[in-house]
Structures are given as C-alpha cells and as structure tokens.
Amino acid sequence: MQTTIINIIPENICVPECNRVLSFRPFVEYIKTIKDKTNSHKKYFFSYVIEQFEQHPELLQSIDVEKVKDYEPLMELIYNSMSGMIEDEETNLWALNTPMRPGIFYSTNAFYKLIENIALRNESSIDEPIDSIHAENNPAEFIYAAILEKYYGLPAFFNTDIIHSVVDKDSGLTHYYRVKPDPRFIDIIPEKELPEIKFDILKSGSYDKDEKLKWISEILPLDIFRFEGFGITTICDISVKYALDCIKNFILNHNFSEESNYFSNVIHWLKIIAESNDIEFGLLPAIRVNQKLVFNEGLYVNSLLINAAQKGGMDENLYLNMVDRYFSAPKVVFHPDITEKDAEKNEYLRLLKADGIRNYALIPVYFGNSVVGVLELYSRKQVNFDQTLLTKLDPVIPLLSQLLKNSIHEFHDGIDKVIKEKYTSIQPSVQWKFNEAAWHYIRDKQSGNEQAEIEEVDFKNVYPLYGAIDIRNSTVQRNMALNKDINVQFELLISMLENLKKQTGFGLIDEKIFLTKKWLKETADIEGFNQQIQVNDFLETNINPFLTDFSKGNPAVQSLVNEYFNAIDVRTGIAHQHRRELESSMNKVIYSVNNFLDQMQEEIQLAYPGYFEKFRTDGVEYDFYIGQSFAPEKPFSDIYLKNLRLIQLNSMATIARFSHKVATTLPVKVETTQLIFIHSLPIDIKFRKDEKRFDVEGAYNIRYHVVKKRIDKVLVKNTGERLTQPDKIALVYINQQDATEYISYIRFLQDQKVLNNDLEELELEELQGVNGLKALRVGVTISQPDNPSGMIKTKTIEASQVS
C-alpha cells in the first residue's frame, strides 16, 4: 500500500472551491451502525476497527492530510473493511481521497503504479497535475449530485462517474478510465438554511448539462456547505467498452455521404480495442451496382489493398476483379510475415510487399448470411497476428457488420437520389403527392377493389417561370467545325492515296484520288455545301472498304492505311479535332450553367416549395412552377412569386457574366443568350404517366407551352435582328402590366450595377399562331466581379425593395 499524496486532477478541469475537512469520524460512525445490525463474525472485526480509531481521537477531528501517513495501519483497516478479504492490492485500483476532491492520500500499489506510469510517460511528477489526462465530466456534477440526493431527494441527477482519457506517449494510444467516487463517508453539512427549489428547469430537456449546472450553482453555492470525512476512489480501465460505445454512437449519428473519410474515426477506435497503435485497419464494403463490384473512392480510401493496387499502377478492373474473387469465396486469411517468396507467388502480396507491409490479414464481415465487406489488418512493423488478436476483435465485428451494411444502404440511397434528381420528375417538393397517390392505391387494393386505378397527380393554379440559355449560332459553328474537319480528312486521304499509288502502281487508286478531289472542291464552299450525307456515304461505303481490302492484300502499305484510320478516329484523330474542341467548349459552358441552375432551384425551394424542370437542347431550358398547391400547409402569397422573378432575372445576369468570362478559357469561343418568358396567369400541370413527366393541362394552358417553344428565334419587328443577343437578357411578355413589374426589377438591378442602363422596349415579329408579343432587352454588366454564390445573396432581396 502507498501513502504518497497524488494529485490526479487534470489541468483542464477546475475543481470548485468549498469548505472541505478531512476526518475519519463519519467512517467510524458508519462502522458502529452496521456493527449493531450484524450478528456474523464481521461484528468482531468491526469492533476492533472502532477500538483502534478511538485510540486516536485526533483522527475523529479535522486532520492535516500530510499527517495521515503516520496512521498507515489504520488506513489498511479501512481498505480491509471495504474490500474483499482475498482482493489483490496489486490489481485492485483503489484509493482514499480528501472529501469532494480526488486528492489521493492512501492507495493500493496498483493504483499508485498506474498514476506513476502515466506521470513518467508524460515527464511529470507523481504529485503534479498530468496534462495528458482529460476528464469528460465536471467534478462539480458529482458534488451537486450528492447534495441533491441527500437534501432534495433527487438521486443521481448528474452523472457521478468521471471518465478520464490518458494518452500513452509511448504507444500513442488513448486509454479511458472510469473514476468512480464513493461519498458514503462524507458528511454534507449546510451552514445556513437551504432554499426551496423548483426543479422544473433541471427536469426540462430545453437546457444542456452545463446550463443546468450553472443554474443550480447560483441557487446553491458550494460555500454554504461544509464537507467532512473522506472519499473512496476506484478506477476501472474501460478503454475497450468506451471504444465499442463510440463506434455504436458513430453508427447511429453519422452519414457516410457527409464524411470525407467515413471510416477514419472507426479505425481510431479499432486500434484501442486491439491495444496496438502499430496495427492499421482498413474497411472495404462490398459496393455493387447491377451485381458488379464498383470502386467508391470515399468508402475505399482506408483499404490498404485498393491503395496498394493503385500505387502499383494496377488497372481498376483488375483489382476489383481480385476483390470480387475474394468475396465470391470469403475466408479468414492470415499472412503473419510476408516474405519475398510469398510475393513472387501471389499478385496482391507482391503489391503489399512493395508498399512496405510486413503483416496482413483479411476478415470477412457478414450481415446475416451475406458478406457486406471485409476488415483488413496490417502493419509495417513485425506484429503478432494470432488468435488472441481475433479474440480481442470479436466484440466489434457485429458493429462493423452494421456499419458496412449502413454504408452500402447509403450508397444506394445516393444512387436513387441522383436518379430522382437527374432522370425522373419526382422531386421532394412534389414527392408528398405521389406518396398520397401510392398510399390510396395500396389502400384501395387491400380493401378488395381489384379494379382500383392509381389517381392522377396534378397541381392547379401554379405560376410558371420559363427561362432559356442557348448557345448562340450553335448550328453555324457546328457546320464550320464539320467543314474544317472534312477538309482535313480529304487532304490526308489524298496524300495517303497518292503515296499508295507511288508504292504499288495500282490503277484503281487514280479513280479514288479523282473522286476525293472532287468532294474536296465541293466542301470548300461552306455556305453552299449541304451534302453531308453523301460525303459520309462516299467515305463509309467507297473509301473505307477499299482501303481495308487493299491493305490486307498489300501488307507493305499497312502502316500508311493505319496512319489514315488513326487520323479519323473520333476520340483522338486530327480529322475530328475542330468538332471535339467545339463540343468540349459547349459542354463546359452548359455543364456549368446546369450546376448553377441546380443551386438556384435549391435556394428557391428554401423560400417556398415549387417544381423545377430542365430540358437539354443546344443550351438549357427550364420551367419553375410555384403556387399554393405545392405546399397546402404553407400560405402562399404573391411576394414569393415576385421574389422568384427577381431571383430568376438576377440569375440570368450571373450566367451571362460567367459565360462571357469563361469564353476566353475555351478552345473555341462560344457565347450564350438569355431568354425569359413572362406569363402572369396561373396554369395547371399534370403528371403524364406514359411519359413519366409533368406537362401543362388544358387548352388555354397549352398556349403557354406553344409560345415558349416558338420565341427562341423570334425577330425584332422590322429589323431582321434576333431578339436574343450575347451579354443581354431578353424578356418576352404579352401584358404591359407584366412589363411594368419587371422594369421595376431591372431598375433595381441597374442600381446594384448588375445590369447596364440600356433598357430597350421592343415589338416582335408575329409567329405562327402567336401575335402581339413584346419584349424588354437589357445588357448585363460584364465587368462586375463574378460571384458564384450570387444566387444565395439574391434570395435575401425582398420584392418590396423594388416594387
């Protein structure tokens, strides 16, 4: 036993000041009480204890903690009274401490050695606070728990266990200890009358633990109490249990799609369970799409096997096939020492050996009867991989099974979400109505109605907002790129045919040269050339078969023919370069516009739910519908419609600025035009089950659809000029009242330096079946710094600011 005074208070914890008196009187009184209640042999032992303490009346008064070491035999009597007769002090973590403060003055050898080892590893003295110990509970909780239980009948209101984390600087592992204070021999004596307290705030879930502790400390300050006696402290190493609990909490509270490295936290706890920082872990879930194993970077980032294969330059399909073969016949695999001989025989061991791995093991993880993944164990140092290690990991395998199963579910949920967002018309804002329709259909079927039909899904009286971002002159640019590539191809073809003629003298080649030159001459005039189908037919049915057959009979010219075929390869050939560069430029612009519109609609939905739909043309068209029927429980007002119109106008300006800016970085300069169709009256939309999409409903509503599809190429009246122009926004309308509203928005955005002061009010040429159209057109302030998050700022603008 040890009588050294030990301070185990972490520096990060402030222990409340209060009147503490070290005394052994409460202990003696307690022993007297239980002595009178027992008739067993313990009665004689208790009598002896009482007799020994009463021979030293100074111990029944206040005593200096420094003097306790002079009474070591009596301290041992306390230990024998509180511990089993066969308890081993070399393993029992037990100590006596001053009241309401874990200042240790008497302890078992095991307790002392634990604190001493921690102190030595952290280069501190046994009687100094150790900075590597961190407590998860405030000691004041324990003190107030004792007060509330004794005087107000609220047992264990605060957590009385104190958990300390200790970093072992040798191994780098964190150990967790539960410190269990025992206050039985501490008298809590109030030195003034205690107030009546209404404990509603403590029982309420509206306040956290710290707020409750602050509240009770203001009502019951500790300086009105005297704490007399001593406490008992026992310590238990709960590292494994704590790690298991943390993994459970992680499974319950985390989503893999929100984590950049989903499994890293779990691997930290696995090292604690394995009791080794030299053992590394990898978790590899069995992620499959259409029954085929796929690579998901976020989930496989901790897999040693995948990382080693990537470092070794192995093709993705090869290492996925390797993993797939393992999953087809899973078993526990141990490689306690990977040798050069092992590496020569096995491809994956060769990769691991090259990555510096000394030990490696695979443990399949099952959920039910299905393999959901594998746990990897490995080390770059020589570590014992044996049955003992497996036994340590046994308790965590069921948790890993659930974790891997969750990650697979969440992966597939992500797939479903993308499909819903990108390929179907069912969005969260309308999902509720589909849910109702599906439920009504199932209910009717279950009630015996075999003829039940699923009800229509429609939304009535919704306001449409239409916008279009188009690539200007996209058809002309495609024709120009095509013409340039064809000219390149014919030049290469003529050169190659002439070389074939020189080498072989084959007479039919002259005819091929003649025809090729004829086509080259016709394609030189891009304005008048409109025979693309005939050109393709000439190349595919005349030239290519001839070259293929001729090269087979003349191996000497094979390289010349192959060089030509390489040049016309769609993905890499020089004869497709202009078309590739144009498509790349257009796709980059449209991809960015698509992303921006997705962000825009997400921000709009925060203000009021609606339905958003995009259509891909040479550019992007979209409809946004908003109205009461999308959210029956949320009152709709025209302020949401006005706010949305302002957001749409500002977003078009942002897109115009972006496309102008990005044009200078593209292989081919492409320009966008921005068009808005203003329709002030509400319409009805209905989900077409055959087409799996929403469409307008009713004869009058269809007019909206007809107009928006015909205005993209409309001309300004009596000018021959296209309405839509680069760096400008065109707004087509029918009613002057609509124009007045939008002019107000335009003036506001001009004041914000978003739009130029060049507003035009235009009349438009008549379209088939549509007349009386007018338009506003305004330039975008291109020089304004581009703000990718402009949409977020726009949504805060109230329509009342500009109306």
Side-chain angles (χ1 to χ4, degrees), residues 59 411 526 598:
L59 293 175
F411 172 82
I526 188 172
D598 288 340

Side-chain angles (χ1 to χ4, degrees), residues 530-562:
N530 58 3
Q531 302 181 62
Q532 177 61 38
I533 295 176
Q534 291 91 327
V535 169
N536 286 338
D537 184 65
F538 166 69
L539 293 170
E540 294 295 331
T541 63
N542 190 324
I543 294 297
N544 289 355
F546 167 76
L547 292 175
T548 302
D549 293 341
F550 187 74
S551 62
K552 287 179 181 177
N554 298 272
V557 301
Q558 185 73 53
S559 61
L560 277 175
V561 175
N562 287 343

Side-chain angles (χ1 to χ4, degrees), residues 687-754:
F687 187 77
R688 306 288 184 192
K689 292 193 287 290
D690 53 345
E691 301 177 12
K692 300 292 187 283
R693 58 183 292 270
F694 279 98
D695 203 354
V696 293
E697 176 76 0
Y700 175 78
N701 296 333
I702 291 174
R703 176 176 168 81
Y704 161 77
H705 183 72
V706 171
V707 173
K708 75 177 187 179
K709 287 299 182 184
R710 294 182 180 175
I711 59 176
D712 61 327
K713 293 180 174 59
V714 68
L715 303 178
V716 178
K717 194 170 184 178
N718 300 326
T719 66
E721 177 192 8
R722 286 275 291 271
L723 171 64
T724 55
Q725 297 293 326
D727 302 336
K728 290 180 179 289
I729 302 172
L731 303 95
V732 177
Y733 65 93
I734 298 175
N735 298 322
Q736 184 58 42
Q737 184 178 354
D738 296 331
T740 302
E741 179 183 338
Y742 272 85
I743 288 172
S744 178
Y745 302 149
I746 290 169
R747 297 300 184 205
F748 171 73
L749 293 177
Q750 286 173 334
D751 181 69
Q752 300 294 306
K753 309 301 181 187
V754 173

Side-chain angles (χ1 to χ4, degrees), residues 619-635:
V620 182
E621 298 177 34
Y622 66 87
D623 285 302
F624 195 95
Y625 302 98
I626 188 172
Q628 181 69 69
S629 58
F630 287 113
E633 305 299 324
K634 182 174 183 177

Side-chain angles (χ1 to χ4, degrees), residues 347-385:
E347 176 64 14
Y348 83 86
L349 291 180
R350 181 189 66 78
L351 293 170
L352 297 175
K353 183 73 173 177
D355 200 28
I357 303 304
R358 299 282 301 275
N359 320 91
Y360 185 74
L362 286 171
I363 302 174
V365 180
Y366 291 83
F367 189 90
N369 295 322
S370 301
V371 176
V372 290
V374 64
L375 173 64
E376 295 176 289
L377 293 78
Y378 61 94
S379 178
R380 288 179 166 81
K381 300 178 181 180
Q382 191 58 46
V383 177
N384 287 330
F385 277 22

Side-chain angles (χ1 to χ4, degrees), residues 433 458-465 608-611 624-631 636-638 641 679-686 695-698 700-701:
K433 197 152 191 175
D458 58 8
F459 295 91
K460 298 185 181 298
N461 294 319
V462 297
Y463 293 89
L465 285 88
Y608 197 92
Y611 179 73
F624 195 95
Y625 302 98
I626 188 172
Q628 181 69 69
S629 58
F630 287 113
F636 179 76
S637 165
D638 66 349
L641 177 61
H679 188 85
S680 58
L681 298 176
I683 64 174
D684 300 338
I685 62 172
K686 179 180 179 179
D695 203 354
V696 293
E697 176 76 0
Y700 175 78
N701 296 333

Side-chain angles (χ1 to χ4, degrees), residues 537-658:
D537 184 65
F538 166 69
L539 293 170
E540 294 295 331
T541 63
N542 190 324
I543 294 297
N544 289 355
F546 167 76
L547 292 175
T548 302
D549 293 341
F550 187 74
S551 62
K552 287 179 181 177
N554 298 272
V557 301
Q558 185 73 53
S559 61
L560 277 175
V561 175
N562 287 343
E563 187 176 338
Y564 167 74
F565 280 128
N566 289 337
I568 65 172
D569 183 84
V570 173
R571 292 174 297 178
T572 60
I574 192 173
H576 284 269
Q577 182 173 342
H578 293 95
R579 280 171 286 181
R580 283 198 307 272
E581 289 179 346
L582 176 61
E583 293 301 324
S584 172
S585 299
M586 293 172 64
N587 287 338
K588 181 174 182 180
V589 172
I590 297 306
Y591 178 80
S592 300
V593 169
N594 264 316
N595 285 344
F596 181 84
L597 290 175
D598 288 340
Q599 178 189 1
M600 180 190 78
Q601 74 98 3
E602 288 175 5
E603 296 297 336
I604 291 171
Q605 301 277 10
L606 296 177
Y608 197 92
Y611 179 73
F612 180 78
E613 189 170 31
K614 286 185 300 185
F615 309 91
R616 176 69 188 269
T617 57
D618 275 347
V620 182
E621 298 177 34
Y622 66 87
D623 285 302
F624 195 95
Y625 302 98
I626 188 172
Q628 181 69 69
S629 58
F630 287 113
E633 305 299 324
K634 182 174 183 177
F636 179 76
S637 165
D638 66 349
I639 63 169
Y640 297 113
L641 177 61
K642 291 179 179 180
N643 190 58
L644 179 53
R645 287 172 170 171
L646 178 58
I647 289 175
Q648 182 190 28
L649 183 59
N650 188 39
S651 70
M652 286 296 201
T654 303
I655 290 170
R657 283 197 306 276
F658 169 79

